[in-house]
């Protein structure tokens, strides 16, 4: 079975390690300069007014720091942070329990907020806007509505797919920020910092080799650092140099552009099995043995950003760069410019 390093990192992060490496202050947070500056101003202004900050929506691909920023905001506000996620809130009572246990100024962080059920989402509207919660007691003729007053709190939502949020929910967030992929130089700084915290000896060139293959994602960079550390410990003297990092990443089947085995399987399937596309995400998922959601949220964003893949109304299409990557020559019928 193929070792799906990138998928495992993005969908199953090491919680204990992330807490160790996660920055706790805005000054320690690398990258996302404009987003960070706007959030710092928002927090500073709220603290001067002695108010809870407006509700915040953080969107962007997995592993870029949405949860980290939520923790930083809560700490900067001197507030308690309560964590949950959209899929775990299965009924209105779950949400009511979370909201009624909040203290004034607390931060409620809902990860994957786009996966909230629509009926539950409607309970959030008055809670976010008026800090009131309407709950139904009993059923049938005895049913009655009770309105509970909530303390002023801040809801921070994180989503990888902001387009799935309904307009009523989206408009209730006073602050909406999107996180973008990191530059290799920024990831190099993150790798060096993480290596220092983990007591790993690393050269700048070794950190750069890891950073440039990390798909613009800090979570992947930190995971690859651990894997390269293991290789350096077993096959070397424990020090991460550029050659050591290159050999370690070659074993992990991560090439110079950050593409792993699954990326290449996706491109190969589109070209070899579907004639270069277009192909629907459902058919592509079956062809490569992966879930459609994982393809859309984990693999496609990077492949599209790097120009290997195009998403059209008919489906996914391999670009000329994909053919070059696999050492193939596109036929005239599949030239990207003629689609």
């Amino acid at each position: 079975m193929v070792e799906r390093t990138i998928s495992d990192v993005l969908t199953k992060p090491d919680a204990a390690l992330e807490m160790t490496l996660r920055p706790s202050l805005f000054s320690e947070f690398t990258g996302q300069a404009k987003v960070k500056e706007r959030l710092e101003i928002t927090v500073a202004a709220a603290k001067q007014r002695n108010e809870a900050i407006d509700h915040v929506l953080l969107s962007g691909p997995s592993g870029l720091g949405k949860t980290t920023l939520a923790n930083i905001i809560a700490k900067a506000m001197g507030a308690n942070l309560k964590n949950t996620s959209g899929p775990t809130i299965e009924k209105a009572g779950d949400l009511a329990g979370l909201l009624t246990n909040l203290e004034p100024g607390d931060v409620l962080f809902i990860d994957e907020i786009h996966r909230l059920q629509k009926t539950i989402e409607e309970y959030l509207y008055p809670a976010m806007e008026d800090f009131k919660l309407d709950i139904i007691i009993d059923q049938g003729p005895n049913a009655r509505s009770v309105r509970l007053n909530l303390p002023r709190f801040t809801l921070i939502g994180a989503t990888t797919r902001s387009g799935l949020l309904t307009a009523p929910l989206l408009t209730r967030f006073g602050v909406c920020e999107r996180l973008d992929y990191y530059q290799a130089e920024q990831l190099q700084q993150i790798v060096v910092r993480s290596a220092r915290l983990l007591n790993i000896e690393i050269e700048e060139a070794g950190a750069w080799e890891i950073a440039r293959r990390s798909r613009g994602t800090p979570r992947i960079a930190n995971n690859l650092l651990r894997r390269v550390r293991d290789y350096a410990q077993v096959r070397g003297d424990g020090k991460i140099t550029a050659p050591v990092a290159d050999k370690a990443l070659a074993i992990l089947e991560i090439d110079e552009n950050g593409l792993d085995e699954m990326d290449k399987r996706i491109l190969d399937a589109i070209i070899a099995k579907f004639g270069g596309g277009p192909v629907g995400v459902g058919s592509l998922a079956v062809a490569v043995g992966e879930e459609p959601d994982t393809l859309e949220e984990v693999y496609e964003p990077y492949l599209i950003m790097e120009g290997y893949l195009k998403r059209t109304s008919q489906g996914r299409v391999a670009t000329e760069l994909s053919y070059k990557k696999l050492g193939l020559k596109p036929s005239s019928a599949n030239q990207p410019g003629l689609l």
Side-chain angles (χ1 to χ4, degrees):
M1 180 174 290
V2 177
E3 180 182 353
R4 292 176 287 184
T5 306
I6 301 302
S7 177
D8 290 344
V9 174
L10 287 176
T11 58
K12 300 177 182 178
D14 187 328
L17 179 73
E18 285 210 329
M19 290 306 297
T20 303
L21 302 179
R22 183 172 288 161
S24 58
L25 302 171
F26 281 116
S27 58
E28 298 175 353
F29 190 89
T30 302
Q32 313 294 342
K34 293 182 179 180
V35 171
K36 184 169 69 172
E37 181 181 13
R38 289 192 290 264
L39 289 175
E40 282 184 289
I41 292 172
T42 301
V43 168
K47 289 178 69 176
Q48 288 178 10
R49 295 191 301 268
N50 198 28
E51 297 176 354
I53 67 170
D54 289 337
H55 303 301
V56 180
L57 178 67
L58 302 172
S59 62
S62 300
L64 298 188
K66 296 184 291 295
T67 303
T68 298
L69 281 174
N71 280 274
I72 291 174
I73 290 171
K75 183 172 183 178
M77 291 297 299
N80 295 318
L81 179 71
K82 305 292 179 66
N83 286 284
T84 186
S85 65
T88 62
I89 305 176
E90 297 180 347
K91 53 185 183 295
D94 297 336
L95 180 63
L98 287 168
L99 294 174
T100 53
N101 283 318
L102 294 174
E103 299 292 334
D106 278 0
V107 173
L108 175 62
F109 176 65
I110 303 181
D111 198 9
E112 298 184 87
I113 195 171
H114 63 275
R115 295 179 62 182
L116 275 177
Q117 297 178 33
K118 295 299 178 282
T119 53
I120 295 175
E121 188 179 295
E122 291 175 358
Y123 280 90
L124 270 180
Y125 300 159
M128 294 174 68
E129 203 162 26
D130 303 319
F131 300 99
K132 297 182 184 300
L133 180 64
D134 296 315
I135 59 174
I136 304 297
I137 298 177
D138 291 334
Q139 295 178 347
N142 296 323
R144 63 188 188 277
S145 177
V146 176
R147 170 161 285 196
L148 303 176
N149 292 321
L150 300 173
R152 295 190 70 86
F153 69 97
T154 297
L155 173 65
I156 300 181
T159 177
T160 55
R161 305 179 71 179
S162 56
L164 296 183
L165 291 177
T166 62
L169 180 59
L170 195 59
T171 54
R172 283 172 168 81
F173 286 100
V175 180
C176 296
E177 299 289 355
R178 175 173 177 80
L179 278 62
D180 293 318
Y181 286 109
Y182 287 63
Q183 299 297 318
E185 293 80 6
Q186 296 169 333
L187 288 176
Q188 185 182 25
Q189 297 175 35
I190 292 172
V191 170
V192 170
R193 175 184 178 274
S194 298
R196 184 177 68 251
L197 293 175
L198 295 174
N199 295 317
I200 301 172
E201 189 177 0
I202 189 169
E203 292 183 353
E204 290 288 334
W208 172 257
E209 196 65 34
I210 295 172
R212 73 188 185 93
R213 302 193 193 192
S214 297
R215 303 166 69 94
T217 307
R219 185 182 294 166
I220 293 176
N222 285 329
N223 183 76
L224 294 183
L225 172 64
R226 295 163 63 205
R227 302 284 70 78
V228 174
R229 173 194 61 181
D230 294 344
Y231 179 89
Q233 180 180 328
V234 174
R235 298 284 179 88
D237 58 3
K239 185 176 183 179
I240 298 178
T241 62
V244 167
D246 181 63
K247 292 177 182 177
L249 294 170
I251 290 178
L252 293 172
E253 299 188 58
I254 298 174
D255 68 15
E256 294 184 353
N257 301 111
L259 272 61
D260 72 347
E261 183 63 23
M262 179 56 75
D263 292 309
K264 294 170 186 173
R265 285 177 63 187
I266 291 170
L267 298 180
D268 182 66
I270 295 174
I271 294 171
K273 297 181 180 179
F274 301 102
V279 55
V281 67
S283 299
L284 182 59
V286 172
V288 299
E290 187 56 91
E291 293 295 324
D293 286 348
T294 303
L295 290 185
E296 289 187 311
E297 295 181 18
V298 176
Y299 294 101
E300 281 189 355
Y302 186 74
L303 292 174
I304 292 172
M305 183 185 73
E306 293 297 305
Y308 294 102
L309 202 62
K310 287 198 302 184
R311 187 184 292 172
T312 69
S313 57
Q314 290 81 28
R316 280 64 180 168
V317 178
T319 65
E320 186 176 351
L321 188 61
S322 296
Y323 286 87
K324 290 181 179 178
K325 185 69 180 177
L326 300 180
L328 303 172
K329 186 177 180 180
S331 64
S332 58
N334 292 328
Q335 287 287 353
L338 299 178
L339 291 174

